[in-house]
């Protein structure tokens, strides 16, 4: 499975560590529940994010959902490609990061891939 | 979830992987695996199918069914004829909407009322007590019947495949209905929908047939679409949804019905309705609405907010209940909004191409202060941020079928490239371009536009000579025994010319009176319509004059011309039929197996029923003689007082034994334009056959007055002189020319058919009895093929056939042979023309072949080619050169 080495929040964001940064995206379950993603609001580089608090939002045709940060830290990079092509979150959720965070000081309680899949079963 | 209701298609949706949700107590598919965006786009460019079986279908029966409905819904139900449907609103006593609904008249003895799924119980609870005193019964037949909405540009093809080629509705017009067999199963088809698609159908079938129908539609290329796409499609089309744009408003108060733009059409105050629920309140709303539309906001408290479209200019997404501001003042709320996808179009006008590239726009609808105007820029509170938005006229246009086209706010057309340089440089450019154009059309093109011709050199030169710049107003004056009195000096030659022209044209028509001063065929018709109305009101000048009604004519989609339609020259003269609240026009019915020909027997029935005061024959897509004699005989026998006119615009030049003779057959008035099959300059003509001792001779006198001073002041004296020459030519060469034209059209038609093209009309008569030939090239392909032919120097019209929805959906080409006959085309040449057309349609480049072919036919026939005439013309042209 492509997401086996990822960790997950209960609000359906994924987290992975790479190049010394914390990458954040949304899970396959999340994109499926949202339906066609048509718009995303992103923070700016340098903004502080707090674990458990929204850092942006993502809108599908049907509704708007907050993006909840799994970590506390500083935004190092944002995925600007998503501003024009938010549908990448639907087509490749695990290859599409939303923000990369540095100076991480706190992390929510995260689930392993297997535990997250089990958690999703209960959500349906 | 177990309490939710399910439609007959529930298992099909689940098997297709649909996401099912609770929608007003129904477990419905919100989307299928491909998603809302894909379903929306597929509907716009191909065909989406929607399960709308959850909607309530109420059978309305009983002899008082019309009276009951007139009382409880807003529309004029009395106007609902068999096989028509009608949008309406069920109004509450406070002038708000209980629900919006659709009425269908599939059968003579009952109506169907289709209502929103979530409102079925509420609507029935509201309506049932109101039945008291009416012989009328409401039965919920929702379970017996199911309904699939089949929407999008391919919907017609797909359904026509199922009907085995039978037309889905008799006329390709919105709100028409029909009961047809789809592969043996009975279906009730309505040209209705909730997507904004110009081509859209709702198909009602018995519950047991619906799974079959759904699966067949999918096999034929339709794709399932869920409630999500249904919502984005209707929002883009600006159609209201109960609970969003109707019902309780965002301010917590009930929204008045006139807040919805559709109310203008859905609410009737026809006397036929009598007293109906909330009549006074609705009248008050309407009065406020009328003032607001005239930008008088003095009654705005009666209609404080209206539903309008809204487009977000900043990045973001509009959602229901977001607040709208102008400065610090809250002026409204978003009622529906989302991000909606569309295919990007490239290029302009008819040549624009819908590409595969997809973009999205943030649009919606809003409930906004009634003094808001189109193009007003406002601010929307998008979760704490103030974003700029604008009120557009609309989000979507249905005007160019088969596609619904997105209107992207702020799109501007490219400006034409203006010629560079000073006045002298521009003058030289203009002359050079005019020369190129003249040579191209006159020496390099095969010109097959049936409404065109090339006048002879004599006609052209005379038209440009001195009278061209003069004034010659004149009218008959009683004091001088009806001698024409001219208002200007220097006009004796013009007077003589005009008298000679009138005499030549009387000879041509074989009639008693001719008026030649009208400068176009459309003006000729306007003058006649105005005269008929004036004649009708001549004995009562103290009241508003009464308009004409009923008027019988050819429907525009069956080839009728604008100049005899309410949208054209009839506009100011046609009455409104109080029963239908529409123009009092009755159209000639056509034969089932030949939609180009009037059905005489059915016409007689309609004449008997409506007793039209005016019957207008003639059309601009014309393959047959009009049944003037048969209808004249009928109205005489039945003693039906009427006036029979024949608008011979197209066929003016072939009057006689080769075609038909209108006055001999019983027409009273003939109008025409002089430059189609008749080869004069561009003018109009009116002829009548009234004798001086007849009552209707007074109508003729009225026509003269409605021409001058009613229609023209000065009447284009140059082309009138040219017209006299054309009349001499016609009266000299008439017999040979007319035979060659009618025969040429038959030759071209047969040759095109031999080339494998789909020639319209009856092969048994050689497809055509006129100068015209109509060829089918495939639905919606007409304009593209016509453009390709033009690039190959073959000039034709694209044309919508009687079963096509409009000019952009045109699937045919209309051709006329008159001009090429004048340049010597006969059987062999039309065969060659047909071969070139067929090759071009197949995709071959034939431009050089066409040029070479045409270069051999430069000499004009059916005009005076004597050397003495040529010398005289050279001399005249030489003088004019000074």
């Amino acid at each position: 499975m492509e997401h086996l080495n990822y960790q997950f929040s209960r609000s359906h964001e994924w987290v992975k560590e790479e190049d010394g940064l914390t990458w954040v995206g949304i899970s396959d379950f999340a994109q499926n529940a949202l339906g066609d993603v048509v718009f995303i609001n992103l923070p700016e580089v340098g903004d502080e994010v707090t674990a458990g608090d929204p850092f942006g939002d993502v809108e599908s045709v049907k509704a708007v959902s907050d993006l909840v940060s799994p970590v506390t830290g500083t935004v190092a990079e944002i995925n600007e490609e998503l501003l024009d092509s938010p549908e990448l979150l639907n087509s490749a959720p695990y290859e599409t990061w939303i923000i990369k965070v540095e100076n991480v000081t706190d992390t929510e309680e995260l689930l392993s891939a297997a535990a997250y899949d089990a958690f999703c079963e209960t959500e349906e | 979830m177990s309490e939710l209701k399910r439609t007959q298609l529930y298992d099909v949706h689940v098997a297709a992987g649909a996401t099912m949700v609770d929608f007003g107590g129904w477990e419905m598919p919100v989307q299928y695996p491909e998603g809302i965006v894909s379903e929306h786009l597929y509907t716009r460019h191909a065909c989406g199918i929607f399960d709308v079986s959850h909607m309530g279908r109420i059978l309305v029966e009983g002899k008082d069914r019309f009276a009951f409905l007139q009382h409880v819904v807003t529309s004029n139900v009395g106007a609902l004829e068999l096989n028509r449907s009608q949008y309406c609103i069920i109004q509450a006593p406070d002038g708000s909407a209980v629900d919006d609904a659709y009425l269908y008249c599939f059968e003579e003895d009952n109506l169907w009322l289709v209502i929103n799924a979530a409102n079925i119980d509420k609507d029935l609870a509201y309506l049932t007590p109101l039945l008291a005193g009416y012989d009328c019964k409401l039965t919920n037949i929702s379970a017996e019947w199911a309904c699939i909405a089949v929407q999008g540009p391919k919907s017609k093809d797909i359904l026509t495949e199922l009907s085995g080629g039978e037309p889905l509705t008799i006329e390709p017009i919105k709100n028409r209905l029909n009961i047809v067999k789809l592969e043996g199963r009975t279906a009730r088809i309505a040209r209705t929908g909730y997507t904004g698609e110009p081509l859209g159908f709702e198909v009602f079938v018995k519950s047991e047939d619906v799974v079959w129908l759904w699966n067949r539609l999918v096999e034929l290329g339709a794709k399932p679409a869920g409630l999500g796409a249904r919502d984005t499609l209707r929002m883009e089309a600006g159609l209201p949804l109960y609970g969003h744009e109707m019902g309780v408003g965002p301010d917590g108060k009930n929204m008045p019905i006139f807040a919805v733009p559709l109310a203008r059409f859905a609410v009737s105050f026809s006397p036929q309705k009598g007293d109906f629920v909330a009549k006074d309140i609705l009248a008050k709303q309407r009065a406020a609405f009328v003032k607001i539309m005239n930008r008088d906001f003095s009654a705005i408290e009666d209609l404080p907010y209206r539903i309008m479209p809204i487009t977000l200019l900043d990045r973001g997404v509009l959602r229901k209940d977001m607040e709208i501001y102008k400065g610090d003042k809250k002026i409204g709320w978003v009622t529906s909004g989302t991000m909606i996808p569309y295919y990007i179009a490239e290029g302009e006008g008819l040549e624009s191409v819908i590409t595969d590239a997809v973009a999205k726009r943030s649009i919606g609808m809003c409930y906004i202060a009634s003094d808001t105007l189109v193009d007003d820029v406002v601010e929307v509170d998008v979760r704490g941020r103030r974003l700029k938005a604008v009120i557009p006229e609309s989000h979507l246009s249905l005007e160019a079928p088969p596609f619904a086209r997105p209107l992207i706010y702020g799109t501007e057309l490219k400006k034409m490239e203006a010629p560079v340089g000073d006045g002298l440089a521009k003058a030289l450019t203009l002359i050079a371009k005019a020369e190129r154009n003249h040579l191209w059309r006159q020496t390099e093109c095969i010109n097959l536009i049936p409404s065109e011709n090339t006048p002879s050199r004599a006609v052209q030169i005379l038209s440009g000579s001195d009278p061209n710049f003069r004034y010659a107003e004149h009218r008959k004056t009683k004091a001088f025994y009806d001698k024409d009195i001219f208002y200007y000096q220097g006009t004796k030659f013009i007077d003589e010319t005009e008298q000679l022209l009138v005499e030549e044209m009387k000879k041509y028509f074989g009639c008693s009176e001719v008026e030649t001063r009208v400068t176009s065929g459309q003006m000729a018709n306007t003058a006649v319509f105005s005269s008929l109305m004036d004649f009708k009101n001549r004995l009562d000048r103290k009241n508003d004059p009464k308009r004409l009604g009923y008027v019988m004519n050819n429907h525009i989609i069956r080839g009728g011309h604008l100049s005899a339609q309410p949208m054209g020259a009839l506009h100011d003269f046609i009455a409104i039929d109080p029963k239908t609240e529409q123009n009092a026009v009755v159209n000639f019915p056509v034969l089932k197996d030949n939609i180009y020909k009037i059905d005489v027997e059915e016409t007689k029935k309609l004449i008997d029923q409506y007793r039209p005061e005016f019957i207008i024959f003639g059309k601009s897509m014309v393959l047959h003689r009009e049944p003037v004699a048969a209808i004249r005989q009928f109205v005489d026998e039945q003693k039906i007082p009427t006036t029979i006119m024949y608008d011979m615009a197209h066929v003016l030049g072939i009057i006689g034994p080769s075609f038909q003779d209108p006055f001999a057959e019983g027409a009273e008035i003939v109008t025409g334009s002089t430059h189609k099959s008749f080869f004069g300059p561009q003018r109009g003509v009116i002829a009548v056959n009234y004798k001086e001792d007849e009552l209707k001779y007074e109508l003729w006198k009225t026509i003269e007055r409605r021409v001058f001073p009613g229609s023209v002041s000065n009447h284009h004296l140059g082309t009138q002189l040219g017209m006299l020459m054309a009349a001499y030519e016609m009266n000299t060469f008439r017999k040979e020319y007319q035979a060659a034209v009618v025969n040429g059209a038959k030759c071209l038609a047969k040759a095109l058919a031999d080339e494998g093209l789909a020639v319209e009309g009856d092969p048994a008569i050689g497809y055509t009895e006129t100068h015209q030939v109509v060829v089918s090239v495939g639905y919606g392909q007409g304009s593209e093929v016509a453009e390709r032919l033009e690039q190959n120097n073959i000039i034709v019209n694209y044309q919508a056939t009687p079963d096509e929805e409009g000019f952009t959906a045109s699937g045919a080409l209309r051709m006329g042979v008159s001009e090429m006959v004048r340049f010597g085309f006969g059987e062999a040449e039309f065969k060659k023309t047909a071969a070139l057309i067929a090759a071009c349609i197949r995709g071959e480049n034939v431009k050089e072949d066409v040029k070479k072919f045409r270069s051999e036919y430069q000499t004009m026939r059916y005009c005076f080619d004597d050397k003495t005439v040529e010398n005289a013309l050279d001399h005249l042209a030489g003088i004019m050169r000074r």
Side-chain angles (χ1 to χ4, degrees):
Chain A
M1 293 288 281
E2 53 183 336
H3 62 285
L4 281 180
N5 56 340
Y6 289 34
Q7 288 185 293
F8 293 86
S9 69
R10 285 186 165 79
S11 51
H12 305 287
E13 286 80 18
W14 59 254
V15 174
K16 73 168 176 175
E17 303 293 329
E18 203 169 310
D19 308 330
L21 297 171
T22 301
W23 299 31
V24 179
I26 61 168
S27 72
D28 187 48
F29 179 89
Q31 72 79 18
N32 224 331
L34 282 165
D36 289 323
V37 176
V38 291
F39 187 76
I40 189 163
N41 262 317
L42 295 175
E44 285 175 23
V45 172
D47 281 0
E48 300 296 323
V49 293
T50 308
D53 283 357
F55 67 88
D57 50 59
V58 59
E59 306 215 23
S60 69
V61 178
K62 288 177 276 182
V64 54
S65 303
D66 281 333
L67 292 164
V68 179
S69 180
V71 296
T72 300
T74 310
V75 177
E77 286 179 45
I78 58 169
N79 187 350
E80 291 189 9
E81 199 186 352
L82 286 177
L83 296 175
D84 286 330
S85 305
E87 64 276 6
L88 290 173
L89 292 170
N90 291 118
S91 53
Y94 293 120
E95 281 126 59
T96 309
W97 57 276
I98 299 172
I99 54 171
K100 295 181 186 178
V101 185
E102 60 188 356
N103 307 324
V104 171
T105 57
D106 190 16
T107 303
E108 253 191 274
E109 188 202 335
L110 298 174
L111 306 171
S112 69
Y116 175 71
D117 286 348
F119 169 73
C120 289
E121 300 270 310
T122 66
E123 289 272 282
E124 285 196 63
Chain B
M1 296 284 269
S2 59
E3 289 162 30
L4 291 178
K5 293 190 271 277
R6 293 172 174 179
T7 72
Q8 300 87 334
L9 284 163
Y10 174 84
D11 292 337
V12 177
H13 302 317
V14 172
T19 308
M20 305 299 285
V21 296
D22 173 2
F23 179 80
W26 290 78
E27 196 171 0
M28 295 297 292
V30 68
Q31 66 172 71
Y32 298 82
E34 284 193 31
I36 296 172
V37 168
S38 151
E39 291 163 26
H40 180 110
L41 291 169
Y42 197 77
T43 304
R44 288 275 183 253
H45 86 90
C47 179
I49 49 173
F50 305 75
D51 179 12
V52 288
S53 305
H54 59 307
M55 296 189 76
R57 285 165 291 280
I58 310 298
L59 177 69
V60 188
E61 295 170 294
K63 76 171 168 48
D64 293 342
R65 63 190 181 284
F66 281 97
F68 171 70
L69 288 168
Q70 290 283 39
H71 187 62
V72 300
V73 305
T74 54
S75 58
N76 179 11
V77 188
L80 192 57
E81 294 171 10
L82 184 67
N83 284 330
R84 306 272 176 114
S85 62
Q86 190 182 66
Y87 176 72
C88 65
I89 297 168
I90 303 172
Q91 72 274 35
D94 70 350
S96 69
V98 175
D99 201 356
D100 62 340
Y102 237 95
L103 276 167
Y104 299 83
C105 186
F106 283 111
E107 290 168 313
E108 294 276 8
D109 59 352
N110 66 74
L111 298 165
W112 281 12
L113 180 69
V114 173
I115 55 182
N116 282 302
N119 291 344
I120 297 175
D121 295 341
K122 182 184 82 167
D123 291 356
L124 285 174
Y126 169 77
L127 292 173
T128 305
L130 295 172
L131 282 168
Y134 291 100
D135 177 3
C136 179
K137 193 171 99 180
L138 303 179
T139 314
N140 186 350
I141 53 164
S142 307
E144 288 165 48
W145 291 83
C147 185
I148 300 173
V150 186
Q151 305 279 308
K154 294 258 188 292
S155 58
K156 181 168 145 174
D157 287 350
I158 289 174
L159 284 169
T160 306
E161 177 126 15
L162 288 178
S163 74
E166 279 298 300
L168 301 169
T169 57
I170 303 302
E171 286 169 320
I173 299 175
K174 285 261 173 204
N175 287 328
R176 295 300 162 94
L177 318 178
N178 204 3
I179 302 182
V180 296
K181 291 271 186 205
L182 299 180
E183 296 187 346
R185 299 170 205 233
T186 302
R188 298 181 170 214
I189 294 192
R191 276 196 185 248
T192 53
Y194 194 45
T195 56
E197 283 299 318
L199 269 69
F201 302 85
E202 290 178 307
V203 185
F204 299 90
V205 289
K206 285 283 190 179
S207 294
E208 57 269 26
D209 290 334
V210 74
V211 171
W212 166 82
L213 177 59
W214 184 272
N215 290 334
R216 282 297 285 139
L217 291 167
V218 172
E219 280 166 24
L220 292 171
K223 278 193 184 176
L227 292 175
R230 187 166 156 83
D231 192 43
T232 56
L233 289 159
R234 71 92 196 163
M235 202 186 297
E236 193 178 30
L239 297 170
L241 172 61
Y242 187 84
H244 288 241
E245 286 80 28
M246 272 182 212
V248 180
D251 56 353
K253 296 179 191 155
N254 289 340
M255 289 188 267
I257 283 172
F258 267 91
V260 183
L262 276 179
R264 258 179 89 178
F265 308 101
V267 183
S268 164
F269 294 94
S270 162
Q272 284 188 88
K273 279 183 74 67
D275 189 27
F276 55 90
V277 175
K279 184 177 182 179
D280 293 346
I281 295 174
L282 287 171
K284 207 168 157 192
Q285 288 179 16
R286 184 174 187 281
F289 169 80
V290 169
K291 281 189 171 176
I292 288 162
M293 295 312 284
N294 286 319
R295 300 196 185 176
D296 167 357
F297 303 113
S298 60
I300 199 167
E301 68 277 8
D302 291 332
L303 193 63
Y305 299 98
R306 295 178 56 228
I307 297 291
M308 296 181 98
I310 184 167
T311 299
L312 197 60
L313 297 172
D314 288 333
R315 282 176 44 82
V317 183
L318 296 170
R319 300 285 179 190
K320 180 171 164 39
D321 294 332
M322 285 178 175
E323 294 177 342
I324 302 172
Y325 290 86
K326 205 160 206 180
D328 290 334
K329 198 177 158 207
K330 187 165 93 183
I331 59 164
W333 302 263
V334 174
T335 50
S336 294
T338 186
M339 195 70 110
I340 291 184
Y342 64 93
Y343 284 112
I344 296 170
E346 274 173 5
E348 289 188 350
L350 273 178
E351 274 112 76
S352 66
V353 175
I354 300 170
T355 68
D356 294 340
V358 174
K360 298 188 195 83
R361 52 183 177 154
S362 180
I363 59 174
M365 294 161 81
C366 60
Y367 189 55
I368 195 165
S370 294
D371 56 359
T372 309
L373 302 176
V374 167
D375 288 333
D376 275 4
V377 174
V378 296
E379 287 184 337
V380 182
D381 185 330
V382 178
R383 279 170 290 114
R385 291 179 303 148
R386 286 281 186 95
L387 301 184
K388 265 204 187 64
V390 69
I391 307 301
E393 207 169 290
S394 57
H395 295 312
L396 193 74
S397 171
L398 283 62
E399 204 183 14
F403 296 103
R405 293 169 199 261
L407 297 172
I408 309 304
Y409 190 82
T411 302
E412 278 180 22
L413 293 178
K414 270 195 232 110
K415 290 239 161 50
M416 194 185 70
E417 256 178 73
V420 286
D422 58 7
L424 173 64
K426 286 181 191 168
L428 288 169
T429 306
L430 178 60
I431 293 165
K433 284 194 167 179
E435 182 177 327
R436 182 81 281 279
N437 178 64
H438 189 90
L439 284 172
W440 180 56
R441 287 301 297 269
Q442 287 295 323
T443 67
E444 299 172 8
C445 284
I446 300 177
N447 294 313
L448 296 172
I449 305 273
S451 36
E452 296 176 351
N453 212 315
T454 294
S456 68
R457 184 158 171 260
V459 171
Q460 292 190 39
I461 290 172
L462 287 170
S463 295
S465 68
D466 181 275
N468 201 18
F469 331 112
R470 301 303 164 199
Y471 250 73
E473 295 172 0
H474 63 88
R475 71 185 296 182
K476 287 180 179 155
T477 308
K478 269 204 188 113
F480 303 111
Y481 306 98
D482 271 353
K483 172 87 183 161
D484 256 309
I485 302 302
F486 279 66
Y487 296 11
Y488 289 79
Q489 292 308 120
T491 53
K492 291 187 179 61
F493 172 65
I494 292 160
D495 181 13
E496 181 190 314
T497 310
E498 191 168 321
Q499 289 190 48
L500 291 171
L501 174 58
V502 166
E503 290 311 313
E504 284 299 319
M505 292 310 288
K506 281 189 202 170
K507 201 164 119 193
Y508 180 72
F509 283 110
C511 70
S512 62
E513 302 288 352
V514 170
E515 173 60 76
T516 63
R517 284 177 290 183
V518 281
T519 56
S520 72
Q522 169 115 353
M523 187 193 281
N525 283 2
T526 307
V528 169
F529 303 157
S530 171
S531 306
L532 272 163
M533 192 171 137
D534 195 71
F535 184 69
K536 176 178 181 170
N537 292 282
R538 71 191 185 284
L539 302 175
D540 177 9
R541 299 295 191 194
K542 291 184 176 169
N543 289 293
D544 280 342
K546 291 191 179 62
R547 291 179 170 219
L548 305 174
Y550 291 92
V551 173
M552 190 165 224
N553 66 2
N554 281 298
H555 197 293
I556 192 151
I557 63 171
R558 294 189 190 129
H561 189 252
L562 277 173
S563 56
Q565 306 292 324
M567 71 169 94
L570 256 185
H571 188 267
D572 298 336
F573 310 105
I574 186 79
I576 295 291
D577 178 351
K579 181 164 183 281
T580 62
E581 297 179 286
Q582 290 177 354
N583 292 303
V585 164
V586 187
N587 297 130
F588 286 112
V590 294
L591 292 171
K592 280 207 173 61
D593 55 355
N594 184 356
I595 50 185
Y596 295 92
K597 197 167 185 176
I598 289 175
D599 183 334
V600 173
E601 291 315 308
E602 288 299 315
T603 300
K604 288 178 183 172
K605 287 182 201 159
L606 283 181
I607 291 175
D608 202 34
Q609 183 186 344
Y610 287 95
R611 308 186 81 80
E613 63 189 73
F614 188 32
I615 297 173
I616 311 171
F617 286 106
K619 44 191 183 177
S620 59
M621 176 173 57
V622 51
L623 298 178
H624 291 282
R625 300 183 183 102
E626 297 277 69
V628 179
I631 298 305
R632 163 55 64 196
Q633 190 189 346
F634 179 73
V635 298
D636 285 354
E637 281 168 6
Q638 302 295 314
K639 298 193 170 38
I640 294 169
T642 188
T643 299
I644 296 182
M645 166 175 143
Y646 192 167
D647 175 355
M648 300 194 79
H650 266 269
V651 291
L652 191 76
I654 52 176
I655 290 177
S658 297
F659 180 58
Q660 71 183 122
D661 190 344
F663 288 117
E665 292 169 32
E668 294 159 60
I669 305 172
V670 171
T671 59
S673 45
T674 53
H675 49 275
K676 296 182 167 85
S677 54
F678 203 101
F679 40 60
Q682 291 183 326
R683 298 187 64 85
V685 66
I686 303 169
V688 307
N689 205 20
Y690 300 124
K691 306 291 183 300
E692 279 189 54
D693 55 354
E694 278 179 72
L695 169 65
K696 276 193 176 169
Y697 196 78
E698 208 175 318
L699 172 59
W700 161 247
K701 306 291 273 181
T702 310
I703 289 173
E704 287 187 300
R705 284 195 300 275
R706 294 319 299 155
V707 169
F708 177 85
S711 303
V712 286
S713 148
N714 196 30
H715 50 282
H716 299 190
L717 305 168
T719 53
Q720 187 176 258
L721 178 58
M723 182 62 197
L724 176 57
M725 177 57 81
Y728 285 150
E729 291 169 352
M730 184 57 93
N731 282 339
T732 307
F733 302 103
R734 176 179 191 170
K735 204 176 146 203
E736 304 88 313
Y737 168 71
Q738 293 180 337
V741 166
V742 175
N743 186 49
K746 288 184 198 285
C747 289
L748 178 62
K750 181 168 184 304
L752 287 165
D754 290 345
E755 290 287 342
L757 292 173
V759 179
E760 299 281 299
D762 181 0
I765 55 130
Y767 302 96
T768 175
E769 298 171 326
T770 70
H771 62 310
Q772 288 191 14
V773 177
V774 177
V775 175
S776 199
V777 291
Y779 184 69
Q781 303 298 304
S783 69
E784 194 250 306
V785 174
E787 176 61 25
R788 199 169 350 132
L789 285 164
E790 178 181 325
Q791 285 163 9
N792 285 274
N793 284 10
I794 300 170
I795 313 293
V796 303
N797 272 133
Y798 61 90
Q799 170 82 45
T801 61
D803 50 8
E804 291 167 346
E805 287 79 6
F807 71 97
T808 50
S810 295
L813 305 175
R814 185 186 67 155
M815 298 176 233
V817 300
S818 319
E819 183 169 346
M820 297 324 295
V821 162
R822 288 203 93 204
F823 283 105
F825 276 30
E827 186 172 351
E829 289 76 15
F830 283 120
K831 263 191 184 159
K832 168 99 179 167
T833 303
L836 289 164
I837 289 170
C840 181
I841 290 176
R842 283 195 302 268
E844 290 171 35
N845 185 335
V846 297
K847 185 170 182 168
E848 291 311 312
D849 296 341
V850 171
K851 266 166 90 169
K852 188 169 168 296
F853 176 46
R854 174 66 211 264
S855 72
E856 292 157 19
Y857 296 85
Q858 302 289 339
T859 309
M860 185 169 284
R861 311 280 181 92
Y862 314 106
C863 58
F864 304 107
D865 57 358
D866 196 90
K867 194 69 194 160
T868 52
V869 172
E870 212 164 293
N871 289 343
L873 283 174
D874 283 346
H875 195 254
L876 176 58
I879 288 169
M880 285 164 61
R881 217 178 285 139
R882 281 199 209 124

